[in-house]
Amino acid sequence: MSFASETKNELARIVPEKKCCMLAEIAGFMRFAGSIHLAGGGKFRIVMTTTNPAVARHYKTLIKTYFSVDPSVGMGQESGLKKGHAYMLSIGPEELSEQILRETGILMVKEGMNFISDGIYDGLIKTKCCRKSYLRGAFLGSGTVNNPEKEYHFEIGTGTETLAKDMRRLMNSFTDINARIVTRKKGYGVYLKSGEQVRDAIGIMGASSMFFRFDEIMMMKGLKSKTYRINNIDNANIDKSLRAAEKQIESIKKIERKRGLDFLSAKLREAAEVRLENPDVGIEELGKMMSPPLSKSGINNRLRRIEEIAKEL
């Protein structure tokens, strides 16, 4: 089962406690997963489609609880190249479809004429709890979230730019969320790419188990990344130390060829001899081999003076 399916299954087990939140969630799902069909005589039929059976059961129960209407459930095939079952919840005119469309802010009246609105009705999302519920419904309707082990990506698909902008505004009303809009072949996507923001969006919707799993995966990826960086730094430091040691040995051998090591002072000659005997030893360890032992800066100063003398020769 995909990470997105597991997230939706957890969200589908949440039943809003408040009536206002229940309506907001139904409206979010209906707006993002629903379509409206003419049923004759100016009447409407609402059809909501999902590929997740847990989501279908959840909204059948939620709609029945709130509106006292029992949607019929049909089966179909997914559209496009995907092969699988689609579950269709249907509400006809005899089941108060027009009243439901009005209460969910989808069917509006302007200048005495009905029209289908193209956005999110503000009256449904006045409070933070209702915005959370609406977001949950929208995600269950047309959302997806990638497995964080592969990449961080959360997206809700919309059919129109107006709806995309409204969803972006709703998502960005939550602290530290910065949703963006992308144009897709069939509409628009409102998405998040930051791991922290994707994790927080999952938490905002109420999927606490998936929130903690996401957070754990993020933490492990962060530790691995940190380990890789430390290893890279260590390797770079080792390479740097080896190059420095090679340069020091070249300088010492040059002095030895041209003047002999007795040309050096006693302190510099000791440093040169210790370095020649220990070509792979780091500076700090090399300093400890001196008599008396030298600090890192002390041995560095002697070796640097040896290199200067080699250049002068």
Side-chain angles (χ1 to χ4, degrees):
M1 186 181 294
S2 70
F3 189 88
S5 294
E6 289 188 72
T7 302
K8 289 187 176 184
N9 284 348
E10 182 176 359
L11 293 174
R13 293 193 293 270
I14 297 173
V15 179
E17 294 180 1
K18 298 178 181 178
K19 283 285 188 178
C20 59
C21 294
M22 196 177 292
L23 178 61
E25 184 178 333
I26 292 170
F29 180 74
M30 194 172 291
R31 171 66 78 180
F32 285 84
S35 58
I36 301 172
H37 305 263
L38 290 175
K43 303 295 183 180
F44 303 100
R45 177 172 297 278
I46 307 166
V47 178
M48 294 157 281
T49 307
T50 179
T51 58
N52 188 307
V55 173
R57 288 193 297 270
H58 173 66
Y59 284 104
K60 180 177 173 64
T61 302
L62 208 59
I63 290 168
K64 185 176 181 180
T65 300
Y66 187 87
F67 290 108
S68 299
V69 166
D70 191 9
S72 60
V73 180
M75 296 285 290
Q77 291 293 124
E78 287 189 76
S79 60
L81 297 176
K82 294 182 180 179
K83 292 183 179 180
H85 293 299
Y87 302 87
M88 294 171 288
L89 280 70
S90 181
I91 303 173
E94 67 282 0
E95 295 157 325
L96 308 176
S97 59
E98 183 172 332
Q99 177 187 330
I100 291 172
L101 288 172
R102 292 193 189 283
E103 286 198 47
T104 52
I106 296 172
L107 183 63
M108 311 289 282
V109 176
K110 186 177 182 180
E111 296 178 356
M113 300 291 290
N114 286 331
F115 75 98
I116 304 299
S117 67
D118 189 22
I120 299 173
Y121 176 51
D122 286 338
L124 294 168
I125 53 171
K126 288 181 178 179
T127 63
K128 188 175 183 179
C129 60
C130 288
R131 290 197 296 276
K132 289 181 178 181
S133 296
Y134 195 101
L135 176 60
R136 181 167 58 246
F139 177 79
L140 288 173
S142 67
T144 186
V145 58
N146 286 21
N147 186 334
E149 291 181 352
K150 297 178 180 178
E151 68 169 329
Y152 303 135
H153 188 86
F154 174 102
E155 184 168 328
I156 295 177
T158 77
T160 68
E161 187 177 10
T162 299
L163 188 54
K165 288 180 177 178
D166 280 1
M167 176 48 63
R168 179 181 62 185
R169 177 167 54 87
L170 185 150
M171 289 173 65
N172 291 349
S173 70
F174 297 104
T175 305
D176 297 329
I177 298 293
N178 184 25
R180 298 182 179 181
I181 296 174
V182 62
T183 304
R184 300 295 187 196
K185 287 183 179 179
K186 295 183 178 180
Y188 300 84
V190 186
Y191 72 94
L192 302 170
K193 275 289 187 184
S194 158
E196 289 81 3
Q197 292 185 35
V198 174
R199 177 201 61 195
D200 291 348
I202 292 171
I204 287 166
M205 292 187 297
S208 56
S209 295
M210 300 307 289
F211 170 91
F212 287 118
R213 190 198 296 186
F214 194 104
D215 190 59
E216 184 179 0
I217 292 170
M218 271 185 61
M219 193 183 307
M220 293 304 298
K221 287 176 74 173
L223 287 173
K224 287 180 182 178
S225 178
K226 186 176 181 180
T227 301
Y228 293 148
R229 285 198 302 272
I230 291 171
N231 287 339
N232 288 337
I233 290 170
D234 288 345
N235 291 335
N237 288 337
I238 290 170
D239 291 342
K240 185 179 178 181
S241 297
L242 290 174
R243 286 195 299 271
E246 288 173 2
K247 188 177 179 182
Q248 292 157 7
I249 291 169
E250 285 176 9
S251 298
I252 294 166
K253 287 182 176 180
K254 182 178 180 182
I255 295 170
E256 191 175 30
R257 285 195 311 271
K258 296 202 170 189
R259 293 293 183 89
L261 293 184
D262 288 338
F263 173 73
L264 299 172
S265 66
K267 290 181 178 180
L268 293 183
R269 185 171 65 250
E270 182 192 11
E273 289 171 348
V274 172
R275 170 46 89 196
L276 286 175
E277 292 168 4
N278 303 276
D280 299 328
V281 171
I283 289 293
E284 191 172 351
E285 191 64 27
L286 202 68
K288 293 176 181 177
M289 295 177 179
M290 303 295 288
S291 181
L294 288 176
S295 65
K296 190 174 179 181
S297 61
I299 188 66
N300 254 329
N301 288 335
R302 291 189 185 183
L303 292 171
R304 193 178 300 114
R305 179 60 187 142
I306 290 171
E307 289 181 24
E308 291 172 357
I309 292 171
K311 285 181 183 178
E312 291 171 1
L313 292 177

